[in-house]
């Protein structure tokens, strides 16, 4: 292989980027803006891995999204609004955990409202929003994605 061919191959590798699809289920507009800013920053800083995020305030469209496309991770808040006395994020976690093999990141200021504490694994994590940076969540999602797990099980 000539030096020009090696350079061309390296440029092609650098020009290709992987796309991670995530769904964020969060009702708080301020939190959503924080997440958007962090994802935008990641996408500007990383040429190799880009993140495409869909934001939902509830789970009304979640089933159709999960059936129509590969989703690499879910970020779920437990309490989805002031009127949400049932902490409906729990219902979403239960459905996805039981029927899909998608990494779940519970990111909430109300972890004490989890109905069921699950074993922390590479595809299930719980974080108190005030104890973790969203950048750390992004890094963990990228690590899982790079294993190839979500390409096999994310759809």
């Amino acid at each position: 292989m000539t030096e020009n061919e090696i350079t061309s191959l390296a440029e092609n590798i650098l020009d290709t980027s992987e796309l991670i699809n995530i769904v964020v289920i969060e009702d708080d507009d301020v939190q959503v803006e924080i997440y958007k800013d962090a994802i935008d920053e990641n996408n500007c800083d990383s040429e190799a891995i880009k993140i495409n995020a869909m934001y939902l305030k509830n789970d009304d469209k979640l089933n159709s999204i999960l059936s129509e496309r590969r989703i690499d991770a879910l970020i779920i808040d437990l309490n989805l609004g002031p009127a949400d006395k049932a902490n409906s994020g729990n219902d979403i976690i239960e459905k996805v955990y039981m029927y899909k093999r998608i990494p779940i990141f519970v990111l909430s200021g109300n972890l004490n409202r989890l109905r069921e504490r699950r074993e922390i694994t590479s595809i299930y994590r719980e974080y108190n929003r005030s104890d973790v940076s969203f950048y750390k969540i992004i890094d963990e999602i990228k690590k899982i994605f790079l294993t190839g797990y979500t390409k096999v099980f994310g759809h």
Side-chain angles (χ1 to χ4, degrees), residues 29-150:
D29 292 334
V30 173
Q31 285 303 132
V32 168
E33 285 306 313
I34 291 169
Y35 301 162
K36 284 181 179 181
D37 290 345
I39 289 169
D40 288 346
E41 189 175 322
N42 171 82
N43 290 345
C44 288
D45 291 347
S46 174
E47 292 183 23
I49 299 176
K50 304 288 185 187
I51 297 175
N52 175 49
M54 292 161 273
Y55 299 88
L56 304 175
K57 290 189 180 277
N58 56 49
D59 68 339
D60 290 348
K61 298 178 184 176
L62 184 61
N63 285 337
S64 64
I65 290 170
L66 294 178
S67 65
E68 293 170 6
R69 57 190 325 168
R70 186 192 85 227
I71 300 300
D72 300 298
L74 289 172
I75 298 171
I76 303 171
D77 184 20
L78 289 176
N79 188 310
L80 299 174
D84 185 15
K85 302 299 181 210
N87 298 295
S88 59
N90 281 295
D91 297 330
I92 299 167
I93 293 165
E94 287 173 21
K95 288 178 200 171
V96 173
Y97 191 84
M98 293 297 292
Y99 300 109
K100 299 282 186 178
R101 298 301 300 162
I102 300 170
I104 298 170
F105 293 81
V106 179
L107 186 58
S108 181
N110 302 300
L111 283 182
N112 59 322
R113 295 183 180 165
L114 268 171
R115 283 189 208 133
E116 180 181 342
R117 296 301 277 228
R118 292 176 167 77
E119 179 182 354
I120 303 302
T121 66
S122 60
I123 64 165
Y124 179 82
R125 307 275 170 90
E126 302 168 355
Y127 294 100
N128 189 322
R129 184 178 297 149
S130 62
D131 295 341
V132 67
S133 154
F134 192 69
Y135 296 99
K136 178 179 178 178
I137 304 294
I138 290 173
D139 287 343
E140 289 186 18
I141 291 170
K142 287 164 59 173
K143 286 177 187 172
I144 294 169
F145 178 80
L146 289 171
T147 68
Y149 176 88
T150 61

